[in-house]
Structures are given as structure tokens and as C-alpha cells.
Amino acid sequence: MEHFARPPIEVVAYTAGFIDGEGTISVKGNRFRVVVSQSVTNDGATICRWLRDAWCVGTVAPSHRVFHGKTWEQWFWTVAAAREVKHVIDCCLPYFHVKRSAAEQVGVRVNDFLNNGHRCRWSPEEIKFLGDQWRRYDDWIGEQLRRSATSVRHQRRALGLAKPPGGL
């Protein structure tokens, strides 16, 4: 199942260039991150919001930086959910030059993390699938999504979806 829609190729290539030049790809323990930072001078807020909206993943936030007594605002587009990081890396990997090695290493770690059954945030497509298939049993839905029946039951409760009336 695809968890996220792939942006147009122009957006993917542009993002890869941004990450190569102004970004970071990192892993620390079981925490994965792709970050792009831009100063207010480069209209960082607009660029970071555009990246968030184009990819439909991540968060945008400002930070105040101080260097040699001078303060300025820096903006960050941060992708930190495991499946979201995997999506961005998988799409951008063919276009990376500088960060290719880091992207490959983080990609392997994210895949291991997800394949070992670790809990992670539900993607919009998984939530839509659950909404469309709510009449089916939790174990069937979990099998389709590669999630546990317990995870499906908890997400069903969080979304306010009723138990299946008899199941399909």
C-alpha cells in the first residue's frame, strides 16, 4: 500500500537539491529526520511551507539564531515520522549527490525499523483505508495494512468508527 502521494518529478528533484545543499538527513537511535533550513533573508517561511504543502508531510517552525551577537530568524521544514522520512528519501534518492550516502544509510535503518513492527503514526492513506473498510474485522484490516489488530482497534476508536456490525 502506498502511504503517500508522490509529488511531481520537478518537486522531487527540487527538494533533493534543497536537501543536498541546505538540509540534513540523520538518524539517532530510532529517531529519523530530514530537515531543510532557510533564513528569513531567503524567505524561509514561504519556502518551508511550500515544501510541507507540496509533500503533505512534516512541520514548519521558526527558530531564532544568534551568531556574533546578531540575531536572525531561521525557518525549518522537518520530517520526522518514520514513514514520512522513508517516503521523502525513497522519492529523492535518485537525485541526491552530496547526501546520497546518508540517505541510503537512513533508508536502510527506517526500513528495518518499520519491518520490525515498531509503532508509528498512521498515514493518511491508512486512515482512508480504515474508513473505507470499517465494516471488516480488525485482523483483516491489520493484515492488509501490515499492522496489528490491536493497532487497528485503537485507531478505530480514535477516529470514532464503530465496531464492525458483523464483519465481512
Side-chain angles (χ1 to χ4, degrees), residues 29-134:
N30 285 335
R31 303 218 183 253
F32 313 97
R33 287 179 21 151
V34 173
V35 180
V36 170
S37 65
Q38 285 293 295
S39 70
V40 72
T41 308
N42 290 340
D43 200 10
T46 302
I47 293 167
C48 290
R49 286 185 185 121
W50 179 82
L51 287 166
R52 178 198 58 205
D53 296 344
W55 285 88
C56 300
V57 298
T59 59
V60 174
S63 176
H64 296 281
R65 302 289 181 168
V66 178
F67 185 70
H68 293 298
K70 185 178 177 184
T71 302
W72 76 94
E73 196 171 57
Q74 189 83 6
W75 283 84
F76 296 89
W77 174 55
T78 305
V79 181
R83 282 199 172 103
E84 294 175 2
V85 169
K86 177 180 173 14
H87 172 61
V88 171
I89 287 175
D90 287 350
C91 290
C92 292
L93 191 60
Y95 306 99
F96 285 135
H97 295 281
V98 177
K99 305 273 180 9
R100 178 180 295 277
S101 176
E104 289 171 346
Q105 290 172 8
V106 171
V108 168
R109 294 278 302 273
V110 170
N111 283 334
D112 290 346
F113 178 81
L114 294 173
N115 291 334
N116 288 332
H118 286 78
R119 291 175 47 188
C120 55
R121 189 181 321 171
W122 281 59
S123 71
E125 283 73 15
E126 287 178 309
I127 292 171
K128 182 181 182 321
F129 184 83
L130 176 57
D132 292 344
Q133 302 294 328
W134 72 273

Side-chain angles (χ1 to χ4, degrees), residues 18-34:
F18 241 118
I19 294 169
D20 254 354
E22 304 289 335
T24 304
I25 300 171
S26 64
V27 61
K28 187 174 186 178
N30 285 335
R31 303 218 183 253
F32 313 97
R33 287 179 21 151
V34 173

